[in-house]
Amino acid sequence: MLRQGRWGAKQLVPASWIKQATTRGPVGPDYGYLWWLNTEQKAWPSAPATSYAALGAGSNTIWIDPEHDIVVVWRWHDGKPDELIKRILAAVRE
């Protein structure tokens, strides 16, 4: 998902599918194909609007930030993902 479906020189998932999966759908402005989008920066105000996440039971999260080339996976967090994202992005910028 991070690099438009590409791993090294090999295209594993069609880039067109990645684009469709991370585009606003009929369900709402912040939802694609099983991916929660940050297009309006409501979910994660500290994160780029291009970031998105898969959310599961127990707040298990896979957050993807193509702008900074980051994938974060965390489990059973306290429900404050924006705080973690803010700290990660601050560390990357330093």
Side-chain angles (χ1 to χ4, degrees), residues 29-86:
D30 293 326
Y31 195 69
Y33 298 166
L34 300 176
W35 292 95
W36 291 97
L37 313 176
N38 198 36
T39 53
E40 296 181 359
Q41 291 182 288
K42 290 180 182 176
W44 314 289
S46 301
T50 56
S51 66
Y52 53 93
L55 305 175
S59 299
N60 293 322
T61 304
I62 302 169
W63 176 70
I64 299 176
D65 178 2
E67 190 172 312
H68 295 95
D69 199 39
I70 296 172
V71 173
V72 175
V73 177
W74 76 103
R75 301 179 54 206
W76 303 100
H77 55 81
D78 66 359
K80 298 178 187 168
D82 192 59
E83 184 60 33
L84 176 63
I85 290 168
K86 186 186 309 181

Side-chain angles (χ1 to χ4, degrees), residues 4 14-25 31-33 37:
Q4 297 298 309
S16 60
W17 187 89
I18 303 289
K19 182 174 173 65
Q20 286 180 320
T22 57
T23 298
R24 292 174 168 193
Y31 195 69
Y33 298 166
L37 313 176

